[in-house]
Structure formats: structure tokens, C-alpha cells
Amino acid sequence: MMSSARTSSPSGGPLRVMIYSRVSTDDQAEAGISIQEQPGLVKEHLDRTFGPGRWLLVDEVKDEGLSGSYGPTIFDHVDSVAGAPRRGRKWRPSLERVFRAIKNDEIDAVAVYTLSRLYREPLAQLNFIDQMLKPRGMLLISAKESVDIYSASGRFQANILAAAAGFQRESSNDNVKDIIRRRKESGLWHGQCPYGWRFPTLSEQEAGYPKTIKAIPEQLDHVKLVAKLYLEGHSEQSIARRLNDEGVPFFMKKTVNGSRQTSWDFQKVRILLRNPAHAGMVQLGNGELIRGYHYEQRAFDLETYQAIQSAGRDRRRRYRGVRSERPEMLLSGIAMCASCGGKLMVRYTDNQRSYTCRGLRNEALSRHVRVDADTLEKAVLHEVEKLATSPELLRQAAQRIGEQAGHEARESKAKLEKLRERKTALDQQRSNAVRQLREDVLSAEDYKELRKQIEAEETYVVDQIGSLEQALAGSYDSERLEKRALAALKDFPLLWSNLKPCERAELMRSAIEELVIGDEHACALMKLKLHLMPVVCLRLPRLVASREREKASGIEAITLSELAALWHLLEGKRPTEGALAMGISKSTFSSFTSRAAQRLGEDSPLIAARKARTLIKQVEHLLPLNHVKRKRRHKRNDLTAFERVVLDRSRVGGSHQEIADALGAPIAKVATGLVSAQAKLLKENM
């Protein structure tokens, strides 16, 4: 043992020790060492190592049922007074107490039953030793392994033990995942028991009932009612309100004072509707649905379940209120970073809106993307409109649709013809088998076996024929819809001007196949691929925030307004004419041109304009060349989306209760919204 390690407290008293214990379900089943037995075994080891009375138990902490992969780690901030775990991070509160005791120098050693009780990951365990214990001269004591963390051989042994613990954890996880997968593939339900079902009792399992869920008839009636109301158009909130008004209880919740009934809400209704258990199905890891053992007790069939999911997707596409007017929804989540493949999301910096990659910046490999939002949106819309109005491109797209649909149809028809021939051959085999049975060529047992094989193959062939016929019908429908979409592209500018921001975002998601933004020093390289259209590559000015622009230089630091001023100089306009076209003053126009020349390292703005000619021509359609009047700001008396809907429904004779049920809102909110809408209209007409 090195002299830097403590064998007693700083005051010369006994060694201050904190015992940490942890157990998870898998560990308890494997090793058989419960969380109650670990502290006793650690104390016996301390008495044998240091002798009775030579060590002092400061505290004894336990984390029960928590994985060794949970935090905190040395990279997590643990406050000395009250630790605050990171948001969304799984946490071990007792290990956090160990961290605080080490930082406050309250102990001299941490004692565990095995090193795997601290961490299962080798890197986390070694970081804890190197950066928490060794700088403070503290000991790490294990009752099962004799490890000296201050010697080279001890560190080597700790590395091996940590690697073995990590391997054991990963192997256990793989085994558990395999067991769950096999249970699901055999049709057994795995996971939390959903509403309307229960797990079988011990007597039912002994009687031969499989270990899967069993229906509760009275609760399944409520499930059928929820599905019926949802398909009729009722919202999740209105369904929950109706169930609560009728006194239908949800699961019983156990509390300290006893069990109590819990009420319904829209989240519980949504979870119920999305659960495939009510259709008698089990969902595999790849999303495939198969029949479960509880299929005969289902609440509704698979077609009803699929109709519910389709209705839910359609309803979630309709944005309401303020969300439907948010401009940053246009390309958020659609554009991708060329460096790391991450999605570009909207970020506001210095009153500027930009699309930014959230990936970690690694200057040695690549530069992540940050591009001005208005510039990117204008560029995408300009290219989409140009593609939509190009007769040659539309003709090529229509030709590709016909070729693709014709090729798929020919292949499907060939397969369908072979399957029909096989079905005819199976019918002939059945007739021959019947004839051979009558002539005593086949015995009754051989005939039954042969007929069983023929029927099984015939069932498969009939299913394949039905699926191919359905695919052929769907290909004809998709071909017709794609041709209609191409015909509608001619009216794209008119269509775009009449859409709401949320509808524009949905249109972009359905039209764009790929949108990748890469960083190319002074520019952002945009790669746009629309469905059935060729790839378009375009260079855009890369955004530099105003607080960074003061330090930046070169063409990448020039703003769009400064590029527009240089464009007017290239066109031979005087500063007065350029300022008039841009709707700014002459001094502001001169400031734009002088700043651009300064960043390009030129004395003359005209020379700077010629130097940036290539970039200016590439982004000419994005520049604010002409003065555009500002849009009217939102007035206080304008109707909100909710008030407009309530007013429209009341005008057609809908009552407060009917409007509340249709919108899933309280009656009081409907009445208040109607009064507010009528007051605004009255004030506007005065």
C-alpha cells in the first residue's frame, strides 16, 4: 500500500468507512446475495482486515433494484448540499450520497461487497477510482476481491474485474432480450398488463392456462365503448370526460391510506387505443403484429384496430391554435446535417432564426451546419417552384411513373399467373387423391396426410393471390394519384399562397425525399431531392451570428443585405438608386457596402462587389433586392383559432355541449370563447 492512501482518519482515529450496497433483479437471481446480506459480509471483511475497533462505520447506504449503469458518474454535477440529477437521466440516490461524502471529506474509505456494486461499465469504474478516490487518498475496499488501487498490479486487476462485470451485464441483457423475444414470438403477452386484462392466478396456471393475459369482461365492454366513440369522431378528452361522468373507474391505485379509484384522462384513452392487446395481437420488436394466446378474447378485430390507428394519425396532423402559425415548423426535422446525419432544428440567436445541427462539433473531422432559416426556406421554395413549373422535368417524372408502375405491374402479373397455375395443379392433385382412395391405391391415413398437405399449400397460395391482386389494385391507385399530383404542381404558387404554415410543413414532408445541408467554408451546400425529380445542388450563404461576425472576416461574414447592396453596385446603380430599391436610407446603403468591402479586405466597394460576383449570382434569388412592405401585425381584436371554430359551429346551430364534445374542451371554455369572439366582432363593426 502506498503511503498516500489513508489507513486511519486525519485526526488519528479509526478509519471512517461508508458501506454501499446495491442489487438489481438479475443480480439477486444469479448470485443469491441479497441487499440485506451484503453489509454484514462487508463488516466481517473489515474486521478481518483492520481488526475490530480500528474502523468506524459512518453510514450504510443502499440502492435497491437499480442497475449498475445508472448515474451519477464523475461527469455529473452533484451539489454538496442537495444533488440534482440531470433531466431524463436514471439516477442512484444512495450513490449520490457517497459522492457528497467523498467531496466533503466525511469518510476515508468506501466499502462494497464487490466492485460491480459501484459500476458495471469499466470506464465509469476506473474514472471513479482515478478522479474521485486517488486524488483524495481514499481507499476502495471490496469484500470479495483484494484490490490495491494505488499499485500497478491492483489497477490491472481492477481493469480485468471491471471488464468481466461489463461482459456479465451485457450477457444478462442479451439473455433477457432473447427470452422476451421468444415469449412474444410464441404469442405470450409480455409487459405491463393493459386495462381490460389481468394475469392468470396461480391456480389457473397450475390448471394449464398459459402465462399470458386473461380478459376482464366488464372492462372489455368499456374498451369497446371507447373504440366505438373514437371512430365516431369523439376526441380523447371528451371520451375520458364521458367515462368519468358515468362513474367508470380506471385501475385501482394503492396509496398509504388504502386503495382508491383513479379517473380517466386523454393520455389513458390514447394509450388504450394504441395498445394492440385489445385486438388479440402481440407486437414484436420489428413492429410486426402476430396473434397472441388471448386472441379469442379480443375486444375488436384487427381491421378496427388499424382503422383506429389511421384515424389517430389523421387527427394528429391537424394543428390548432398558435402551433398552426409557427413559421419554424416548415423545414424543422426535414433538413439533415451532411456531417453527422442529424436533423436540423430551429434555434434563435441574437434575434435571428437559424437551422442548427445539434451534433457535437468535432473540428478534426467536420464542421456542423448552421444556416439562416429564411435563406434556406426561400432557397427550397425557389427550387421547388422552379421544378414544379418546368415542362421538361414534369414530362420526365410522368414517364418515370409510367415505367415504374408498368414494371411492377408486369412482375406482379407474372407471379399471379404462376400462383393461379399452381392452384389449378393442387385442385388436380386433390381429384387424383380422391380417385386413388376409391380405387384402394391410397389408404385412409395416407389420404388424410396428403389432403392435409394439399390444403395447407392451397391456403398459402390463395393468400398470396389475394395479396397480389390487392397490390395490383393499389399500384393502379398510386399511379393515378401520382399523375394527379404532377398535374397539380403546375398550380404550385397559387396553392402555396393559400396554405397555413402547418399545411405547408406537411406538404414539404410529403414532397421532399432528401434535404442535406453541408458546410463548405464560406457557403452552405444544399442538396435537394424531391420525389420523382432530379437532385438539385445549390450554395447558400452560411449564417454567422452577430456576436461572432465581429470576429469573422471574409465572404462568410457578409450578410444578405450587404450582398444585395453589392448586387446593386454590380448593376451600375448609384447609392441613391440602390437605397431607394431596397427601401433604406442612403447612409445605410453606404454602410452596407463599406462593411462588405472591409470584410473582403478591399478599399473600394465596387472592387469588393466584383470579388463576390460568383456568390452573388448564385444566391441572387435570395437577396432582398426590392423593398417589400411589412405585413400587418397581429391585432388584439383578431379572433384566435379556437374562437373562430367555436363561432362557426355556433352559427350552424350547435349547442355549447355539442361544441364541447366535438372539440374536447370544457363547456366553460366554449362559452367564454364564444362571448369573446362576439365581443371582438362587435368592436370591429363599430
Side-chain angles (χ1 to χ4, degrees), residues 1-8 136-139 148 150-151:
M1 186 74 65
M2 293 181 63
S3 59
S4 59
R6 301 181 187 177
T7 56
S8 62
R136 296 172 174 84
M138 296 183 179
L139 293 175
D148 180 12
Y150 289 89
S151 65

Side-chain angles (χ1 to χ4, degrees), residues 340-356:
C340 64
K343 295 181 179 179
L344 299 186
M345 308 303 290
V346 170
R347 182 180 179 184
Y348 288 91
T349 306
D350 298 329
N351 297 325
Q352 291 178 332
R353 188 166 60 93
S354 60
Y355 286 104
T356 307

Side-chain angles (χ1 to χ4, degrees), residues 572-591:
K573 294 182 180 180
R574 293 177 296 178
T576 305
E577 297 173 345
L580 183 62
M582 295 180 63
I584 57 179
S585 63
K586 182 181 176 181
S587 60
T588 304
F589 184 88
S590 301
S591 299

